Amino acid sequence: MQMFPDFDAAQRCDKLEHPLFEGGNYDVFVKREDLVHPKLNGNKWRKLKYNIEAYKKSDCKSILSFGGAYSNHLAALSYASNLYDFPLFMIVRGEQPKTPSNTLKFAEECGVNLIYVSRAEYRRRTEQEWLQELQNKYNAYIIPEGGSNIEGVKGCMEILPENVYDYVMVATATGATLAGLSASCDEKTKCIGISVLNDQGFLMDAVLNFHNALSIKRTNYTIISDYTHGGYAKRSPTLDQFIRSFNLNHSIPIEFVYSGKLFFAFFDLLKNGYFKEGSRILLVHTGGLQYMEDQSN
Ligand SMILES: *Cc1c(COP(=O)(O)O)cnc(C)c1O
């Protein structure tokens, strides 16, 4: 199955230039997962690859997954349902909005069956009983929220084209992408997840559990939770200011939910002497820019 519409884009790394890098002799690169495809990009795309393959091999007749009204996972999966021709059922958190988000409109255009459930019901999304019920009802291959399962982690193990970095950094929510990145690096590379939500201490365990399930042993990863700016999709004036100025001075677009927090954290850590001099640092831009269309409304 040809999973990448544009293989060159899937490999692309851009060098980032900044006066701050000169003193410490830092080489900084950005892995442009955001460029793979306008809708089907970033880590959400990576996480779908082996899930869709597993679905095709199964006897299931549809895919079912979970997401919010602005979810990058919903956008990627909606597009994939057309490209790879499978019926898609999406359990959407919250009542149907009077004015749908662009992401929801896009999903409708793709012919996705959107099933709105209350927030209380949505909270049951990992309960076996409900999953079994949904599986039976829709004869569905079920992908968890954000595509964060073992198949998803396997896809994220293909993000890095080469293993030549001292540090690899990524915005982290469930830890699946960090698990894949750290699994694909050797112990010499330090993989840093910048938590975008107020971590309740489960993230390190989440990564460990993914590694255990793949029989992989790594101690090369860490989570930094000092850059959430208040929590998931929350923003602060300093973050907004940073993003505005970054977007003016660089040709790599960032937004406030994921990439903005990652880049902000990187520059702050750099200023605080976190990185060894002369090191090679890779920032993984996980995409998710489709979300910004909703911000300009
Ligand atoms: C979902 C998402 C993440 C978080 O990935 P996890 O594997 O859940 O940690 C990071 N960046 C973007 C753009 C995302 O859409």
Side-chain angles (χ1 to χ4, degrees), residues 42-44 47 72-73 146 148 156 170-178 196 203 255 258-259 286-289:
N43 58 351
K44 296 300 180 286
K47 290 179 187 184
N72 295 328
H73 174 60
S148 297
C156 292
V170 70
T172 296
T174 63
T177 309
L178 180 63
V196 299
L203 275 174
E255 48 68 59
Y258 296 105
S259 47
T286 41
L289 299 161

PDB file of all heavy atoms in Angstrom, residues 42-44 47 72-73 146 148 156 170-178 196 203 255 258-259 286-289, ligand 1:
ATOM      1  N   GLY A  42       1.690  14.950   9.490  1.00  0.00           N
ATOM      2  CA  GLY A  42       2.150  14.920  10.874  1.00  0.00           C
ATOM      3  C   GLY A  42       2.106  13.527  11.467  1.00  0.00           C
ATOM      4  O   GLY A  42       2.058  12.518  10.773  1.00  0.00           O
ATOM      5  N   ASN A  43       2.132  13.505  12.775  1.00  0.00           N
ATOM      6  CA  ASN A  43       2.157  12.205  13.437  1.00  0.00           C
ATOM      7  C   ASN A  43       0.824  11.474  13.295  1.00  0.00           C
ATOM      8  O   ASN A  43       0.769  10.259  13.399  1.00  0.00           O
ATOM      9  CB  ASN A  43       2.556  12.367  14.906  1.00  0.00           C
ATOM     10  CG  ASN A  43       1.634  13.290  15.668  1.00  0.00           C
ATOM     11  OD1 ASN A  43       0.787  13.955  15.081  1.00  0.00           O
ATOM     12  ND2 ASN A  43       1.777  13.316  16.969  1.00  0.00           N
ATOM     13  N   LYS A  44      -0.268  12.204  13.030  1.00  0.00           N
ATOM     14  CA  LYS A  44      -1.561  11.534  12.882  1.00  0.00           C
ATOM     15  C   LYS A  44      -1.534  10.616  11.651  1.00  0.00           C
ATOM     16  O   LYS A  44      -2.089   9.536  11.651  1.00  0.00           O
ATOM     17  CB  LYS A  44      -2.687  12.558  12.769  1.00  0.00           C
ATOM     18  CG  LYS A  44      -2.861  13.411  14.015  1.00  0.00           C
ATOM     19  CD  LYS A  44      -3.177  12.569  15.260  1.00  0.00           C
ATOM     20  CE  LYS A  44      -3.345  13.409  16.506  1.00  0.00           C
ATOM     21  NZ  LYS A  44      -2.088  13.923  17.050  1.00  0.00           N
ATOM     22  N   LYS A  47       0.556   7.568  12.482  1.00  0.00           N
ATOM     23  CA  LYS A  47      -0.137   6.635  13.370  1.00  0.00           C
ATOM     24  C   LYS A  47      -1.196   5.822  12.632  1.00  0.00           C
ATOM     25  O   LYS A  47      -1.598   4.766  13.086  1.00  0.00           O
ATOM     26  CB  LYS A  47      -0.799   7.397  14.509  1.00  0.00           C
ATOM     27  CG  LYS A  47       0.174   7.989  15.518  1.00  0.00           C
ATOM     28  CD  LYS A  47      -0.634   8.732  16.549  1.00  0.00           C
ATOM     29  CE  LYS A  47       0.204   9.512  17.507  1.00  0.00           C
ATOM     30  NZ  LYS A  47      -0.672  10.117  18.530  1.00  0.00           N
ATOM     31  N   ASN A  72      -7.024  16.889  15.022  1.00  0.00           N
ATOM     32  CA  ASN A  72      -6.188  16.599  13.850  1.00  0.00           C
ATOM     33  C   ASN A  72      -6.364  15.149  13.406  1.00  0.00           C
ATOM     34  O   ASN A  72      -6.269  14.829  12.226  1.00  0.00           O
ATOM     35  CB  ASN A  72      -4.710  16.845  14.179  1.00  0.00           C
ATOM     36  CG  ASN A  72      -4.434  18.305  14.465  1.00  0.00           C
ATOM     37  OD1 ASN A  72      -5.079  19.182  13.905  1.00  0.00           O
ATOM     38  ND2 ASN A  72      -3.477  18.563  15.357  1.00  0.00           N
ATOM     39  N   HIS A  73      -6.600  14.299  14.374  1.00  0.00           N
ATOM     40  CA  HIS A  73      -6.822  12.878  14.091  1.00  0.00           C
ATOM     41  C   HIS A  73      -8.086  12.693  13.246  1.00  0.00           C
ATOM     42  O   HIS A  73      -8.102  11.933  12.271  1.00  0.00           O
ATOM     43  CB  HIS A  73      -6.945  12.150  15.433  1.00  0.00           C
ATOM     44  CG  HIS A  73      -7.321  10.713  15.346  1.00  0.00           C
ATOM     45  ND1 HIS A  73      -6.561   9.776  14.671  1.00  0.00           N
ATOM     46  CD2 HIS A  73      -8.375  10.029  15.864  1.00  0.00           C
ATOM     47  CE1 HIS A  73      -7.143   8.589  14.780  1.00  0.00           C
ATOM     48  NE2 HIS A  73      -8.236   8.726  15.484  1.00  0.00           N
ATOM     49  N   GLY A 146      -6.706   9.870  18.876  1.00  0.00           N
ATOM     50  CA  GLY A 146      -5.366  10.298  18.476  1.00  0.00           C
ATOM     51  C   GLY A 146      -4.560   9.238  17.755  1.00  0.00           C
ATOM     52  O   GLY A 146      -3.406   9.462  17.410  1.00  0.00           O
ATOM     53  N   SER A 148      -3.447   6.576  19.042  1.00  0.00           N
ATOM     54  CA  SER A 148      -2.365   6.191  19.950  1.00  0.00           C
ATOM     55  C   SER A 148      -2.488   4.753  20.442  1.00  0.00           C
ATOM     56  O   SER A 148      -2.910   4.504  21.571  1.00  0.00           O
ATOM     57  CB  SER A 148      -2.315   7.166  21.123  1.00  0.00           C
ATOM     58  OG  SER A 148      -2.014   8.450  20.641  1.00  0.00           O
ATOM     59  N   CYS A 156       5.147   5.794  14.033  1.00  0.00           N
ATOM     60  CA  CYS A 156       6.004   6.897  14.496  1.00  0.00           C
ATOM     61  C   CYS A 156       7.470   6.495  14.546  1.00  0.00           C
ATOM     62  O   CYS A 156       8.353   7.349  14.591  1.00  0.00           O
ATOM     63  CB  CYS A 156       5.542   7.390  15.865  1.00  0.00           C
ATOM     64  SG  CYS A 156       3.944   8.219  15.795  1.00  0.00           S
ATOM     65  N   VAL A 170       9.787  16.700  20.674  1.00  0.00           N
ATOM     66  CA  VAL A 170       8.457  16.614  20.062  1.00  0.00           C
ATOM     67  C   VAL A 170       7.387  17.068  21.057  1.00  0.00           C
ATOM     68  O   VAL A 170       7.547  16.893  22.272  1.00  0.00           O
ATOM     69  CB  VAL A 170       8.177  15.165  19.583  1.00  0.00           C
ATOM     70  CG1 VAL A 170       7.981  14.193  20.742  1.00  0.00           C
ATOM     71  CG2 VAL A 170       6.995  15.113  18.626  1.00  0.00           C
ATOM     72  N   ALA A 171       6.321  17.666  20.535  1.00  0.00           N
ATOM     73  CA  ALA A 171       5.166  18.009  21.372  1.00  0.00           C
ATOM     74  C   ALA A 171       4.441  16.721  21.749  1.00  0.00           C
ATOM     75  O   ALA A 171       4.235  15.856  20.904  1.00  0.00           O
ATOM     76  CB  ALA A 171       4.227  18.945  20.616  1.00  0.00           C
ATOM     77  N   THR A 172       4.057  16.607  23.012  1.00  0.00           N
ATOM     78  CA  THR A 172       3.542  15.331  23.501  1.00  0.00           C
ATOM     79  C   THR A 172       2.179  15.472  24.172  1.00  0.00           C
ATOM     80  O   THR A 172       1.985  16.346  25.019  1.00  0.00           O
ATOM     81  CB  THR A 172       4.552  14.744  24.520  1.00  0.00           C
ATOM     82  OG1 THR A 172       5.767  14.479  23.826  1.00  0.00           O
ATOM     83  CG2 THR A 172       4.041  13.470  25.147  1.00  0.00           C
ATOM     84  N   ALA A 173       1.244  14.601  23.768  1.00  0.00           N
ATOM     85  CA  ALA A 173      -0.062  14.552  24.437  1.00  0.00           C
ATOM     86  C   ALA A 173      -0.265  13.178  25.072  1.00  0.00           C
ATOM     87  O   ALA A 173      -0.306  13.043  26.293  1.00  0.00           O
ATOM     88  CB  ALA A 173      -1.181  14.885  23.465  1.00  0.00           C
ATOM     89  N   THR A 174      -0.369  12.127  24.242  1.00  0.00           N
ATOM     90  CA  THR A 174      -0.546  10.782  24.816  1.00  0.00           C
ATOM     91  C   THR A 174       0.782  10.058  25.010  1.00  0.00           C
ATOM     92  O   THR A 174       0.828   9.032  25.696  1.00  0.00           O
ATOM     93  CB  THR A 174      -1.392   9.890  23.874  1.00  0.00           C
ATOM     94  OG1 THR A 174      -0.685   9.717  22.638  1.00  0.00           O
ATOM     95  CG2 THR A 174      -2.750  10.506  23.604  1.00  0.00           C
ATOM     96  N   GLY A 175       1.835  10.517  24.352  1.00  0.00           N
ATOM     97  CA  GLY A 175       3.148   9.870  24.474  1.00  0.00           C
ATOM     98  C   GLY A 175       3.431   8.844  23.386  1.00  0.00           C
ATOM     99  O   GLY A 175       4.538   8.311  23.314  1.00  0.00           O
ATOM    100  N   ALA A 176       2.463   8.587  22.507  1.00  0.00           N
ATOM    101  CA  ALA A 176       2.671   7.565  21.471  1.00  0.00           C
ATOM    102  C   ALA A 176       3.787   7.973  20.498  1.00  0.00           C
ATOM    103  O   ALA A 176       4.614   7.153  20.107  1.00  0.00           O
ATOM    104  CB  ALA A 176       1.370   7.313  20.711  1.00  0.00           C
ATOM    105  N   THR A 177       3.793   9.248  20.120  1.00  0.00           N
ATOM    106  CA  THR A 177       4.814   9.703  19.175  1.00  0.00           C
ATOM    107  C   THR A 177       6.199   9.659  19.815  1.00  0.00           C
ATOM    108  O   THR A 177       7.168   9.208  19.203  1.00  0.00           O
ATOM    109  CB  THR A 177       4.491  11.135  18.685  1.00  0.00           C
ATOM    110  OG1 THR A 177       3.135  11.154  18.244  1.00  0.00           O
ATOM    111  CG2 THR A 177       5.406  11.547  17.547  1.00  0.00           C
ATOM    112  N   LEU A 178       6.277  10.096  21.064  1.00  0.00           N
ATOM    113  CA  LEU A 178       7.551  10.035  21.782  1.00  0.00           C
ATOM    114  C   LEU A 178       8.017   8.586  21.926  1.00  0.00           C
ATOM    115  O   LEU A 178       9.220   8.295  21.779  1.00  0.00           O
ATOM    116  CB  LEU A 178       7.399  10.692  23.165  1.00  0.00           C
ATOM    117  CG  LEU A 178       8.649  10.708  24.040  1.00  0.00           C
ATOM    118  CD1 LEU A 178       9.762  11.534  23.403  1.00  0.00           C
ATOM    119  CD2 LEU A 178       8.324  11.245  25.437  1.00  0.00           C
ATOM    120  N   VAL A 196       1.987  19.072  26.226  1.00  0.00           N
ATOM    121  CA  VAL A 196       1.098  20.186  25.879  1.00  0.00           C
ATOM    122  C   VAL A 196      -0.138  20.204  26.768  1.00  0.00           C
ATOM    123  O   VAL A 196      -1.002  21.039  26.622  1.00  0.00           O
ATOM    124  CB  VAL A 196       0.661  20.145  24.397  1.00  0.00           C
ATOM    125  CG1 VAL A 196       1.876  20.242  23.478  1.00  0.00           C
ATOM    126  CG2 VAL A 196      -0.157  18.899  24.085  1.00  0.00           C
ATOM    127  N   LEU A 203       2.522  10.147  31.789  1.00  0.00           N
ATOM    128  CA  LEU A 203       3.159  10.094  30.472  1.00  0.00           C
ATOM    129  C   LEU A 203       4.383   9.189  30.393  1.00  0.00           C
ATOM    130  O   LEU A 203       4.550   8.448  29.430  1.00  0.00           O
ATOM    131  CB  LEU A 203       3.528  11.507  30.008  1.00  0.00           C
ATOM    132  CG  LEU A 203       2.398  12.250  29.306  1.00  0.00           C
ATOM    133  CD1 LEU A 203       2.811  13.687  29.005  1.00  0.00           C
ATOM    134  CD2 LEU A 203       2.033  11.540  28.006  1.00  0.00           C
ATOM    135  N   GLU A 255       1.753  26.758  15.406  1.00  0.00           N
ATOM    136  CA  GLU A 255       0.450  27.135  16.007  1.00  0.00           C
ATOM    137  C   GLU A 255       0.515  26.900  17.518  1.00  0.00           C
ATOM    138  O   GLU A 255       1.498  26.371  18.010  1.00  0.00           O
ATOM    139  CB  GLU A 255      -0.692  26.365  15.335  1.00  0.00           C
ATOM    140  CG  GLU A 255      -0.471  24.857  15.182  1.00  0.00           C
ATOM    141  CD  GLU A 255      -0.456  24.087  16.472  1.00  0.00           C
ATOM    142  OE1 GLU A 255      -1.467  24.139  17.182  1.00  0.00           O
ATOM    143  OE2 GLU A 255       0.561  23.426  16.777  1.00  0.00           O
ATOM    144  N   TYR A 258       0.294  22.698  19.592  1.00  0.00           N
ATOM    145  CA  TYR A 258       1.407  21.742  19.655  1.00  0.00           C
ATOM    146  C   TYR A 258       2.749  22.382  19.294  1.00  0.00           C
ATOM    147  O   TYR A 258       3.614  22.552  20.162  1.00  0.00           O
ATOM    148  CB  TYR A 258       1.134  20.564  18.716  1.00  0.00           C
ATOM    149  CG  TYR A 258      -0.071  19.734  19.075  1.00  0.00           C
ATOM    150  CD1 TYR A 258      -1.257  19.832  18.350  1.00  0.00           C
ATOM    151  CD2 TYR A 258      -0.026  18.839  20.138  1.00  0.00           C
ATOM    152  CE1 TYR A 258      -2.367  19.055  18.679  1.00  0.00           C
ATOM    153  CE2 TYR A 258      -1.130  18.056  20.464  1.00  0.00           C
ATOM    154  CZ  TYR A 258      -2.292  18.168  19.722  1.00  0.00           C
ATOM    155  OH  TYR A 258      -3.383  17.403  20.050  1.00  0.00           O
ATOM    156  N   SER A 259       2.937  22.700  18.011  1.00  0.00           N
ATOM    157  CA  SER A 259       4.273  23.122  17.560  1.00  0.00           C
ATOM    158  C   SER A 259       4.738  24.407  18.249  1.00  0.00           C
ATOM    159  O   SER A 259       5.926  24.554  18.548  1.00  0.00           O
ATOM    160  CB  SER A 259       4.299  23.287  16.037  1.00  0.00           C
ATOM    161  OG  SER A 259       3.191  24.032  15.587  1.00  0.00           O
ATOM    162  N   THR A 286       5.110  18.177  14.143  1.00  0.00           N
ATOM    163  CA  THR A 286       4.121  17.115  13.951  1.00  0.00           C
ATOM    164  C   THR A 286       2.890  17.567  13.169  1.00  0.00           C
ATOM    165  O   THR A 286       1.890  16.847  13.129  1.00  0.00           O
ATOM    166  CB  THR A 286       3.701  16.551  15.321  1.00  0.00           C
ATOM    167  OG1 THR A 286       3.563  17.643  16.241  1.00  0.00           O
ATOM    168  CG2 THR A 286       4.730  15.583  15.856  1.00  0.00           C
ATOM    169  N   GLY A 287       2.958  18.743  12.571  1.00  0.00           N
ATOM    170  CA  GLY A 287       1.843  19.170  11.712  1.00  0.00           C
ATOM    171  C   GLY A 287       0.687  19.726  12.525  1.00  0.00           C
ATOM    172  O   GLY A 287       0.882  20.397  13.532  1.00  0.00           O
ATOM    173  N   GLY A 288      -0.531  19.426  12.063  1.00  0.00           N
ATOM    174  CA  GLY A 288      -1.699  19.892  12.800  1.00  0.00           C
ATOM    175  C   GLY A 288      -2.071  21.324  12.485  1.00  0.00           C
ATOM    176  O   GLY A 288      -2.810  21.970  13.223  1.00  0.00           O
ATOM    177  N   LEU A 289      -1.583  21.820  11.356  1.00  0.00           N
ATOM    178  CA  LEU A 289      -1.860  23.221  11.039  1.00  0.00           C
ATOM    179  C   LEU A 289      -3.275  23.425  10.514  1.00  0.00           C
ATOM    180  O   LEU A 289      -3.755  24.544  10.454  1.00  0.00           O
ATOM    181  CB  LEU A 289      -0.826  23.742  10.040  1.00  0.00           C
ATOM    182  CG  LEU A 289       0.607  23.683  10.582  1.00  0.00           C
ATOM    183  CD1 LEU A 289       1.614  23.746   9.458  1.00  0.00           C
ATOM    184  CD2 LEU A 289       0.861  24.794  11.580  1.00  0.00           C
TER     185      LEU A 289
HETATM  186  C1  LIG B   1      -1.831  14.618  18.357  1.00  0.00           C
HETATM  187  C2  LIG B   1      -0.688  15.525  18.159  1.00  0.00           C
HETATM  188  C3  LIG B   1       0.445  15.494  18.998  1.00  0.00           C
HETATM  189  C4  LIG B   1       0.557  14.596  20.195  1.00  0.00           C
HETATM  190  O1  LIG B   1       0.973  13.305  19.860  1.00  0.00           O
HETATM  191  P1  LIG B   1       0.968  12.123  20.946  1.00  0.00           P
HETATM  192  O2  LIG B   1       1.429  10.944  20.198  1.00  0.00           O
HETATM  193  O3  LIG B   1      -0.450  11.969  21.415  1.00  0.00           O
HETATM  194  O4  LIG B   1       1.861  12.502  22.063  1.00  0.00           O
HETATM  195  C5  LIG B   1       1.498  16.351  18.697  1.00  0.00           C
HETATM  196  N1  LIG B   1       1.411  17.221  17.661  1.00  0.00           N
HETATM  197  C6  LIG B   1       0.337  17.288  16.849  1.00  0.00           C
HETATM  198  C7  LIG B   1       0.310  18.276  15.760  1.00  0.00           C
HETATM  199  C8  LIG B   1      -0.748  16.445  17.070  1.00  0.00           C
HETATM  200  O5  LIG B   1      -1.832  16.544  16.266  1.00  0.00           O
END
